[in-house]
Amino acid sequence: MAKDEIYPMTVEGKQKLEAELEDLRLNQRPQIIERIKIARSYGDLSENSEYESAKNEQSMLESRITTVEHMLQYADVVDNDDVESDMVNVGKKVTFKELPDEDPETYQIVGAAEADPLEGKISNDSPIAKGLLGHKVDDEVVIEIPAGDMKVKIISVE
């Protein structure tokens, strides 16, 4: 992870990460430590699959804790008060339709840490979000996506 990387996120996204970090530290970490302690009591560690499994889980947990701490340390909570109300920005929901006549789609543009396409949240680093950022309602935008260019019209921004 780059030390100077900034993680744009909404207030809700930061709160969600803080809650995850608290859960990782206060609930999951003690549970894994207890599993390791129990597995150690079984004796020979060289052939102890429970011990190996718990140690691997501990390693993944500690890695996630480090990642979340880093993201929170370099979090940039987006404040849309200084952005025009009809301009696409991180934290806003944008509705657009692919031209000439596709159905409208609505996504909230969030930082990479919050992205969840199944919940309608796309990363500001995604090709669609990058193409929409900074544009306004009624703008027609050509977005470069892996499958080729996509022309869209922005219908609304919330």
Side-chain angles (χ1 to χ4, degrees):
M1 288 177 274
K3 288 193 188 245
D4 58 353
E5 187 171 353
I6 300 296
Y7 296 93
M9 61 184 69
T10 62
V11 171
E12 295 83 17
K14 185 174 183 190
Q15 290 170 343
K16 189 175 176 183
L17 275 180
E18 289 169 340
E20 179 186 357
L21 183 60
E22 183 175 340
D23 179 58
L24 292 170
R25 286 178 174 163
L26 301 179
N27 298 322
Q28 294 184 40
R29 184 184 269 162
Q31 289 172 0
I32 291 175
I33 290 170
E34 184 62 25
R35 282 186 49 215
I36 291 170
K37 185 176 163 184
I38 292 168
R40 273 193 178 141
S41 71
Y42 296 153
D44 185 10
L45 299 181
S46 65
E47 295 181 17
N48 188 330
S49 63
E50 288 89 0
Y51 178 77
E52 276 303 311
S53 174
K55 287 300 282 184
N56 287 338
E57 214 174 308
Q58 181 185 38
S59 176
M60 289 188 290
L61 176 84
E62 294 302 327
S63 176
R64 180 63 184 161
I65 288 172
T66 300
T67 299
V68 173
E69 287 173 339
H70 182 82
M71 291 164 74
L72 287 170
Q73 181 178 357
Y74 294 99
D76 178 23
V77 177
V78 177
D79 178 11
N80 280 314
D81 291 343
D82 297 334
V83 178
E84 295 176 44
S85 62
D86 66 343
M87 182 176 284
V88 179
N89 196 31
V90 175
K92 292 190 174 184
K93 281 188 180 179
V94 60
T95 301
F96 62 90
K97 70 176 187 174
E98 189 173 348
L99 298 174
D101 58 0
E102 294 291 324
D103 290 332
E105 298 178 48
T106 301
Y107 295 101
Q108 181 178 13
I109 299 177
V110 295
E114 299 175 70
D116 186 351
L118 297 177
E119 289 189 21
K121 296 179 177 184
I122 60 172
S123 168
N124 63 312
D125 292 328
S126 71
I128 291 175
K130 282 182 179 179
L132 294 171
L133 288 170
H135 290 280
K136 295 181 177 186
V137 173
D138 291 328
D139 283 359
E140 291 186 7
V141 183
V142 176
I143 301 172
E144 292 180 34
I145 58 173
D149 289 347
M150 176 172 93
K151 188 172 183 180
V152 302
K153 180 174 182 174
I154 300 173
I155 298 170
S156 69
V157 177
E158 301 172 34

